[in-house]
Structures are given as structure tokens and as C-alpha cells.
Amino acid sequence: MKQSYFYLGGICLITGLLFALQFLSPAGLLQSNPVSQRMVNLTTTINNLETEIAAQQDYIESTRNELNQLDNQANIEKLQLMQQELKEAQIHAGLTSVAGPGVIITVDDNHSGQKANPDDDPQHYIIHFEHILSIVDELKTAGAEAITVNGQRLITTSEIRCVGNVILVNTTRIAPPFEIHAIGSPSLMINMVNYGELAVLRSSNYPVHVEESDELILPAYKGDLQFQYAKLGGL
Amino acid sequence: MWAILPIVGLLIGLVIGGFISIEVPAAYVKYFSIAILAALDSVFGGIRSTMEDRFDSTKMISGFFVNALAAALLAYLGDRLAIDLYMAAVFAFGVRLFDNIARIRHLLIDKWRNRS
């Protein structure tokens, strides 16, 4: 009699184990009926979507609360400060037109020199992008705050590069004569270029003209501004 | 006193099954349910035979395994032949289950009447 209960207990243990496994496994819910299986799938999909909707609604709510908080702050002083910062950032980025004292540097191909020596390689008588690059570099060294090359405002991503027989600045083709405008300390910049690249050009008889200006107006950068890889970060 | 052992066993089985998280694959759910039926059949058969004082451990244990295997085999064969042969097992086990439960009920009622 006693022994039989032991065996019954053992069988009961197995039964309980099987029951638990069957009840707890998600497969136990679907059975092998394709219709009910589809129902379960649909139910799962609906539940997932509802969870997602709830999460999105939470996000909307939190964003709205944030917006309300910002509205309620009504900190006009702070707003003005931020707008000021934004303007400064735009000036630094070259997204606004700027005015101020500066220099106008004009360089052109050496037409007369080439006419005098028609058998020479014309490469020796034209302005190459390296010349413009050097002038721009020297202007920057002298503290130029805004620079244009033939009306193209130079920003951080601006290129000065020859492609074939033309020079590209901000992906725009420019042609001689090259007129470089720069806002900054006129005397410093003139000194810098006169003893730098312009001296080299003058020694090769290129027509070079440097002019000081009290009021230069440089246009804003008008091209595309899309950063695909650089993200805000690091701070 | 010892009559509590089956219930304890059942609870232990449920707890173990609850803790080991093995998921029964959907394809084997059918065979699993047959196994559960076989186990239940053995349990009630065992209770009945105990009450009738003709319990045989060898018969019960072998009955459990052979019945479960035969039922699973039948279900598999039915799947291959596209006949719901496992229904036969479900039917047989179900009938026996109810038969056993009825016998147990009768025996319990008789016992209770004799006592009072």
C-alpha cells in the first residue's frame, strides 16, 4: 500500500513536469491549428503595435511637457542671448554677409609675358590654384576674418582646386582675373601678402594689384550645407 | 499519511517544469499532449488500483511508458498518413480517464458510507 503511493508520486511528478512544460511554452498556446496560429500571430502583432503606440504617446507627452516648460520659462533675456550666439556662429560659419575694412587683391594671367614668348609653355604664364591657395592662406595667417574669391565666400568646407583647366571654389568655376576680398586688418594683410606669394608672382611679372578698402561687403555662403558624417559630440 | 505523496510529487513536477525553461517546439506539441494524457491515465489508473488493493508497480510503470510511446507512435503515423490517428489515442485515454474517475468516485462513496 505504502509502496504504491511512491510510484504514484513518481508518475505524478512526471505528469506535473509535462503539464508545466506544455503550459509555459508559447507553442502550447498555438496548438497545430493554422487558423489559431494565425490568430496568435495577429494578436502578437496588435499587442506589439499597441505597446509601440503607447511608447510613442509617452514620448509625445514628454516632449509637450518640455515645450510647455520652455514656454512657461519666458526667459526673454536667455532667448536674446541665444539669438546673439546664433548670429555670431553664423558670422563665423560664413552664413551671413559681412562688412568691414580690408583688402582687395587682384591677380591675372601673365598675358603680355606669354605674347612675348609664344614658344614657351603657357603653364608658366597662368595663375594656378596653388597661387590663390597661398594668398588665401597668407590672408588667414594675417588674421582675415572673411574671405571671398571671385565672389565665392570661403567657409570651413570650401575648396580651392583646379579641375582640368578651370579652378573650382565652392564647386563653382571661376576664371581670371581673380579678385580676392578679405576683411581684417588691412595693413597686416597687405604686409603679409606683399612679402609672400605676391612677391613671387611679381618676380614672374604677373599683373598683381593690391588695394586697401575701408568698407568691403562680402556676400554670404550660398551653397549646400549638409554634414553627413560629422555629428555634434565630443563635449 | 502516505496518500499525500502523489500531490507532493505533482507539485514538485510543476515547480521543476516551471523553472527549467525548455520550450516545447510547436511541431511536438501534439505528441506532448498525448504524453500528458498517458501520464494522467496512469495516475488515475494507479489511484484506482490502489483503492481496489490490486496495485502492481510493474504494470503501472510499464503501462505508462508503453501507452505514451504507443500513442506518440500512433500520432506520428497519423501525421504521415494524413489521418488524425492521434484522435484514437485521445479517445481511448479520455474514455479510460473518465472510467477510472467514475470508479474512484464510486469507491470513495462506498468507503464513506461504510464508515458512517
Side-chain angles (χ1 to χ4, degrees):
Chain A
M1 187 72 177
K2 193 171 116 186
Q3 179 205 23
S4 72
Y5 286 122
F6 272 105
Y7 284 105
L8 272 178
I11 293 289
C12 276
L13 194 142
I14 295 169
T15 313
L17 191 77
L18 294 176
F19 257 114
L21 284 179
Q22 181 86 323
F23 278 138
L24 291 180
S25 67
L29 302 168
L30 338 155
Q31 299 297 338
S32 46
N33 186 343
V35 176
S36 68
Q37 198 163 340
R38 208 164 148 243
M39 290 279 281
V40 170
N41 286 348
L42 286 174
T43 315
T44 319
T45 310
I46 289 170
N47 284 340
N48 288 347
L49 286 174
E50 273 171 358
T51 320
E52 205 179 307
I53 287 170
Q56 297 280 7
Q57 279 170 341
D58 283 349
Y59 180 67
I60 289 172
E61 207 190 332
S62 70
T63 311
R64 277 192 188 137
N65 286 340
E66 220 172 288
L67 203 64
N68 278 340
Q69 273 182 354
L70 287 173
D71 277 350
N72 292 339
Q73 261 184 353
N75 200 336
I76 294 162
E77 229 173 281
K78 201 173 175 185
L79 195 67
Q80 279 176 339
L81 204 72
M82 282 171 83
Q83 278 174 340
Q84 185 94 33
E85 277 176 16
L86 183 65
K87 250 180 205 146
E88 273 173 32
Q90 280 178 332
I91 289 171
H92 283 295
L95 298 177
T96 57
S97 63
V98 286
V103 291
I104 300 169
I105 299 162
T106 316
V107 292
D108 201 354
D109 295 344
N110 188 0
H111 297 297
S112 53
Q114 202 190 345
K115 267 176 198 159
N117 306 286
D119 298 333
D120 240 19
D121 188 354
Q123 290 282 337
H124 296 141
Y125 297 96
I126 62 169
I127 295 283
H128 293 278
F129 80 92
E130 290 102 328
H131 297 132
I132 295 167
L133 204 56
S134 296
I135 294 168
V136 167
D137 192 38
E138 279 160 12
L139 288 171
K140 280 181 180 170
T141 313
E145 285 160 12
I147 301 169
T148 61
V149 177
N150 279 20
Q152 286 298 323
R153 179 76 176 272
L154 297 185
I155 63 162
T156 51
T157 54
S158 293
E159 82 285 7
I160 297 172
R161 177 74 204 176
C162 85
V163 176
N165 55 356
V166 294
I167 296 177
L168 291 187
V169 175
N170 288 346
T171 64
T172 306
R173 285 181 298 179
I174 58 171
F178 301 106
E179 209 168 282
I180 301 167
H181 295 217
I183 290 177
S185 160
S187 55
L188 201 61
M189 292 194 293
I190 286 172
N191 275 334
M192 196 77 179
V193 290
N194 271 342
Y195 291 103
E197 187 65 23
L198 291 192
V200 176
L201 289 175
R202 278 192 190 110
S203 70
S204 305
N205 293 320
Y206 280 97
V208 173
H209 182 70
V210 181
E211 191 187 320
E212 197 177 320
S213 173
D214 288 338
E215 185 69 12
L216 274 177
I217 296 171
L218 303 193
Y221 174 71
K222 293 183 195 70
D224 196 20
L225 248 191
Q226 276 191 346
F227 279 22
Q228 267 185 5
Y229 299 98
K231 298 267 183 292
L232 198 65
L235 283 173
Chain B
M1 158 87 211
W2 293 104
I4 206 162
L5 262 177
I7 296 162
V8 172
L10 190 72
L11 288 177
I12 291 170
L14 281 173
V15 168
I16 293 172
F19 273 105
I20 54 167
S21 51
I22 300 170
E23 286 183 2
V24 183
Y28 296 116
V29 165
K30 206 191 272 180
Y31 305 114
F32 228 77
S33 44
I34 294 274
I36 289 174
L37 263 180
L40 271 180
D41 174 62
S42 294
V43 168
F44 282 104
I47 292 170
R48 178 188 163 184
S49 58
T50 308
M51 293 178 89
E52 288 175 344
D53 276 332
R54 50 179 187 83
F55 182 82
D56 188 328
S57 61
T58 318
K59 279 182 188 167
M60 193 194 76
I61 298 294
S62 65
F64 169 65
F65 286 109
V66 171
N67 281 347
L69 279 176
L73 210 67
L74 210 64
Y76 176 74
L77 205 68
D79 274 355
R80 293 288 113 193
L81 298 172
I83 310 166
D84 282 342
L85 262 184
Y86 81 104
M87 280 298 194
V90 171
F91 182 71
F93 283 135
V95 167
R96 278 170 54 132
L97 215 59
F98 279 109
D99 192 35
N100 282 333
I101 290 168
R103 288 307 296 245
I104 291 164
R105 181 169 49 86
H106 287 200
L107 284 166
L108 279 175
I109 290 167
D110 286 346
K111 220 175 172 180
W112 185 69
R113 275 187 184 149
N114 286 344
R115 193 192 280 178
S116 59

